[in-house]
Amino acid sequence: RVQHALHLGTLAFLISRRWCVAEGGLPKLLSHLCQRASPSPRMLHPEYILTVLLTCNSVGVIFCRSLHFQFYCWYAHSIPFLLWRSQRLPLSIKLACLCLLEYAWSYGLDRVEGTSTQASAICLQLAHGCLLVSIIAAPAPPTYLYEQGPDRLAPRNNVTNEVTALKEHLN
């Protein structure tokens, strides 16, 4: 029950503080829907769509009671995107999260039965905690195309900035 409450609480937080920001929050969005007020049609930003879908899927996996290897296939592709959306996490934490997940799903399994071990379970929980912090710490994605003018379409360079910083650090 606690796990379900945390799952629903996380989704409620993301809905109200990240996904419905442009509408003024969830209560305002629901009141518009109940009044059947039809706002002017606007195109959703691709980053918004991707963020909502991948975040929702990852939160579902994070709060799952039991995990199977095929679950990793469902959200592995989204992990770098979700980690790099947060500018607050240092690069070392993001890379550690990726390494922990890879260890937990690929190398930390029991060699005979292929099931998780205590070490792989701990690594998975640590990595999922890091991923959840990254998801919550990330800024709300732009909701609509041309939200603040056509320049809003320009991609954000989180990854480019971090790669450049890493190159400078190594040189």
Side-chain angles (χ1 to χ4, degrees), residues 69-96:
F69 187 75
Q70 65 266 28
F71 288 18
Y72 188 45
C73 302
W74 294 354
Y75 80 121
H77 60 281
S78 66
I79 294 166
F81 174 79
L82 294 173
L83 284 173
W84 264 262
R85 283 200 75 252
S86 174
Q87 298 170 349
R88 294 181 184 173
L89 287 179
L91 179 62
S92 58
I93 300 289
K94 294 173 184 179
L95 293 174

Side-chain angles (χ1 to χ4, degrees), residues 33-92:
L33 292 175
C34 289
Q35 296 170 2
R36 297 180 188 237
S38 178
S40 60
R42 296 180 279 183
M43 290 182 59
L44 290 174
H45 197 285
E47 184 180 349
Y48 176 82
I49 295 168
L50 189 63
T51 300
V52 170
L53 291 175
L54 296 181
T55 300
C56 195
N57 186 44
S58 294
V59 167
V61 172
I62 288 170
F63 288 103
C64 237
R65 285 183 45 188
S66 67
L67 293 173
H68 305 283
F69 187 75
Q70 65 266 28
F71 288 18
Y72 188 45
C73 302
W74 294 354
Y75 80 121
H77 60 281
S78 66
I79 294 166
F81 174 79
L82 294 173
L83 284 173
W84 264 262
R85 283 200 75 252
S86 174
Q87 298 170 349
R88 294 181 184 173
L89 287 179
L91 179 62
S92 58

Side-chain angles (χ1 to χ4, degrees), residues 18-19 25 37 42 46 55 85 99 102 104 130 136-137 164:
R18 297 294 185 268
W19 301 340
R42 296 180 279 183
T55 300
R85 283 200 75 252
C99 291
E102 188 60 28
C130 180
I136 290 172
T164 304

Side-chain angles (χ1 to χ4, degrees), residues 7-19 135-138:
H7 186 180
L8 292 174
T10 301
L11 288 175
F13 172 81
L14 291 170
I15 290 168
S16 64
R17 303 289 180 155
R18 297 294 185 268
W19 301 340
I135 288 170
I136 290 172

